[in-house]
Amino acid sequence: GVDGRGGAPGAGDPAEPAAPGSGAVSGRFLARATLLSAALSMAGAVLGLGRDQALAHFFGAGAETDAFLVAWTVPEMASTLLIEDGMAFVLVPAFSAALARRAYGAVSPDPVRALVAASLPRLCLALAGTAAVLVAGAPLLVSVLAPGLPDPSLAVACTRLTATCVLSFGLAGYCSAALRAQGDYVVPGAIYVAYNVAIIATMLVLAARWGVRAAALGVALGGCLMAVVQAPSLWRRLARRPDRPASAPGGGPAPDRALAFGLICAVLLFALCRQSQVLIERYFASGLPAGAISHLNYAQKVAQLPMSLAMMVCVVTFPVVARALAEGDTLRARDRVERDLVLMACLVLSGAAVVFAAAPQITQLLFQRGAFTAEDTAATAAVMRVYALGLLGHTLVGALVRSYFSTGRTTWYPLGAMGAGALATVVLGGWAVEPWGAPGIAAANAAGITLTALLLLHGLGPRSVPVRVRRVVAELARPVAAAVGAAAAGLLCASLSDSPAAAVAASCAGAGTAFVLLARLLDVAGVRVLLSTVTHSVRSSLSRKPRHGR
């Protein structure tokens, strides 16, 4: 683990945060929180694969699945806006500042409770109104999202069910941001487990009777469950009596800032622009033969698994960075962000190497059964390999944008960078869709998000977290080189077996081993020092004489 100041934890590090109101967080606490969040995220991702497998088994990759996936656009956008990005970017810094004021100032009125009272009722009203508008305007929404659908009525029916997620996802995202800002990662990490369980269960019970509408109903029920499972934990924390104020360290807590309308607009517009890449893909794919939207969806869900795992690092440390900035400790925030970027790059690139190397075998193993044919496997695998090329860009965008919004100040630069990337996706997608079909659309996505990542990295400076850009770029080049070699090793290993399961296992072993060896050779993220320290500790433990009672 690494402590909140960016250094390695020492012998005196506490096992938990120094105090509930303190910004000092131990390395061991962050390591445990990251591992726990990663485990819950992987559980949700595995269930997400089960959800996609059930969808593929019951409905294949045809017109019915395409109709559902158009309706799926609403919860996808709501998830980005209200859970993963938008809501978190606004509320985690706001709650972090409120907690800092509670710790180092008066506790009457309590800043955390005052923030909830000022923001939650208005948010519920706005979200409920938006959901009602989407339900009423579902026919128009479907005609805009996928004008090439031959029969939009099924997509309209599914959209009216999934539109309810605007309210439920908003409440779930609010609870997640408030809990994570206070150091609670367990319940927020479990929400996608509950969500996917609800979708799978609804499909199993109602698929024969309702068709693909059962999946849409499962989405609606799952969204409600995401909010319900978190509400008791947040209520208990809000009902708890605040701790006594402490003396302010360093620069002290940031001054009281209400949730600025400009900040909310900047965050939501950025998240909308980021999610527009999915809209662009489905717009172009709706004019291709039936199944193209489904191939893009299945490929994206599998390819993004390494990214989901890597993003758990900054999900855990984002409140730490926001709290450090709220207390005026920019050096601690800078070191944390720099280390996170390199660590996340290593995680996502090692996974991307496996995805690229074994895409056909992974797709066959996961989906080729029921209505999902061998032709669907080949088409999905081709798209998956292209998506793997953009995974680093997606991960860096998710991490870097937190550096801009963690200060709690309004900034429009991320929106400009994302707009440039979206424009590149539109131009390249329009040019590539006719000759290359779905893989061309995926390539445009990868190019657009990579451009956004480069612009966000270039724009870091005093107004956000003062990351040393040249140093980060030099560090990122090493895991990229290691990933290229790992992908080649994975391809070779995957070709040695005709069994999909054996090929995937061999590819994981070969690519993983190659990545570790190359990372050591290139000294990625100081891995040589880390390995030598671990080796020395193991040798010392083995050679140490046992203690005997006196």
Side-chain angles (χ1 to χ4, degrees):
V2 180
D3 68 8
R5 297 185 181 274
D13 285 336
E16 300 293 343
S22 172
V25 181
S26 77
R28 279 175 284 182
F29 174 78
L30 284 181
R32 282 201 300 271
T34 302
L35 289 174
L36 180 60
S37 297
L40 290 169
S41 175
M42 288 307 297
V46 169
L47 286 168
L49 281 177
R51 174 202 67 208
D52 292 339
Q53 286 177 317
L55 190 67
H57 177 77
F58 285 122
F59 312 112
E64 194 173 9
T65 310
D66 286 354
F68 167 73
L69 292 174
V70 171
W72 180 269
T73 304
V74 176
E76 276 187 317
M77 294 195 68
S79 176
T80 298
L81 287 170
L82 303 175
I83 299 177
E84 297 166 9
D85 290 347
M87 190 79 75
F89 293 161
V90 173
L91 288 177
V92 168
F95 274 102
S96 297
L99 288 165
R101 291 194 300 274
R102 172 196 278 181
Y104 306 120
V107 295
S108 181
D110 177 35
V112 178
R113 296 176 188 171
L115 175 60
V116 173
S119 58
L120 186 56
R122 297 176 185 177
L123 179 69
C124 289
L125 184 62
L127 292 173
T130 304
V133 169
L134 289 174
V135 170
L140 177 61
L141 180 61
V142 169
S143 67
V144 171
L145 291 176
L149 285 181
D151 181 12
S153 59
L154 181 58
V156 170
C158 292
T159 300
R160 285 184 167 140
L161 289 168
T162 60
T164 59
C165 286
V166 172
L167 176 59
S168 59
F169 277 28
L171 294 175
Y174 190 97
C175 293
S176 294
L179 289 170
R180 281 177 171 141
Q182 299 179 76
D184 187 343
Y185 297 97
V186 177
V187 178
I191 59 175
Y192 284 108
V193 174
Y195 175 64
N196 287 317
V197 165
I199 298 174
I200 293 170
T202 307
M203 279 196 288
L204 290 174
V205 173
L206 295 176
R209 186 183 310 172
W210 278 35
V212 81
R213 291 179 182 85
L217 177 62
V219 170
L221 295 175
C224 295
L225 195 58
M226 292 168 82
V228 168
V229 297
Q230 295 183 98
S233 295
L234 181 59
W235 176 259
R236 285 195 298 270
R237 285 190 171 270
L238 293 177
R240 185 181 302 166
R241 184 182 298 274
D243 298 321
R244 280 187 178 182
S247 57
D256 188 6
R257 287 195 301 266
L259 291 179
F261 179 73
L263 172 63
I264 295 173
C265 288
V267 168
L268 293 182
L269 287 175
F270 168 83
L272 276 172
C273 193
R274 183 180 181 185
Q275 195 62 25
S276 70
Q277 286 205 313
V278 176
L279 305 182
I280 294 165
E281 286 186 347
R282 290 182 181 164
Y283 179 87
F284 286 129
S286 67
L288 295 174
I293 295 177
S294 300
H295 299 148
L296 286 164
N297 172 75
Y298 292 129
Q300 187 181 70
K301 292 296 189 297
V302 176
Q304 288 186 349
L305 283 176
M307 184 189 75
S308 299
L309 179 60
M311 288 301 297
M312 285 302 102
V313 175
C314 67
V315 166
V316 170
T317 60
F318 179 44
V320 177
V321 174
R323 188 65 175 274
L325 292 173
E327 295 172 355
D329 194 345
T330 57
L331 290 181
R332 175 156 58 105
R334 182 199 69 186
D335 292 345
R336 180 76 263 167
V337 170
E338 289 181 355
R339 288 174 178 264
D340 287 349
L341 289 174
V342 179
L343 175 59
M344 292 170 68
C346 291
L347 290 173
V348 75
L349 286 170
S350 59
V354 175
V355 169
F356 184 89
Q361 294 87 351
I362 292 172
T363 307
Q364 183 180 354
L365 184 64
L366 292 177
F367 300 118
Q368 191 174 314
R369 58 184 62 87
F372 199 92
T373 66
E375 290 75 16
D376 293 324
T377 294
T380 301
V383 175
M384 193 185 298
R385 279 182 165 155
V386 179
Y387 270 135
L389 302 178
L391 285 181
L392 178 61
H394 279 286
T395 304
L396 291 179
V397 167
L400 290 168
V401 74
R402 285 168 168 78
S403 300
Y404 287 90
F405 292 127
S406 57
T407 60
R409 292 192 293 266
T410 303
T411 174
W412 298 97
Y413 183 83
L415 176 60
M418 193 66 245
L423 179 61
T425 303
V426 170
V427 173
L428 293 173
W431 171 73
V433 64
E434 185 173 349
W436 292 300
I441 298 173
N445 180 308
I449 201 67
T450 301
L451 174 62
T452 300
L454 292 173
L455 291 173
L456 287 175
L457 189 59
H458 175 74
L460 286 175
R463 289 179 296 178
S464 55
V465 178
V467 170
R468 294 164 289 190
V469 176
R470 291 185 179 179
R471 178 177 178 176
V472 170
V473 171
E475 289 293 328
L476 290 177
R478 299 176 185 180
V480 169
V484 172
L491 276 169
L492 177 62
C493 293
S495 66
L496 299 178
S497 175
D498 293 330
S499 167
V504 171
S507 182
C508 288
T513 302
F515 189 88
V516 170
L517 292 176
L518 289 170
R520 188 181 187 283
L521 179 65
L522 298 171
D523 196 22
V524 175
V527 71
R528 290 179 188 169
V529 176
L530 177 62
L531 289 175
S532 64
T533 302
V534 171
T535 303
H536 177 73
S537 299
V538 172
R539 288 176 178 173
S540 298
S541 299
L542 293 175
S543 61
R544 188 180 298 128
K545 294 182 179 180
R547 295 181 178 181
H548 301 283
R550 295 184 180 180

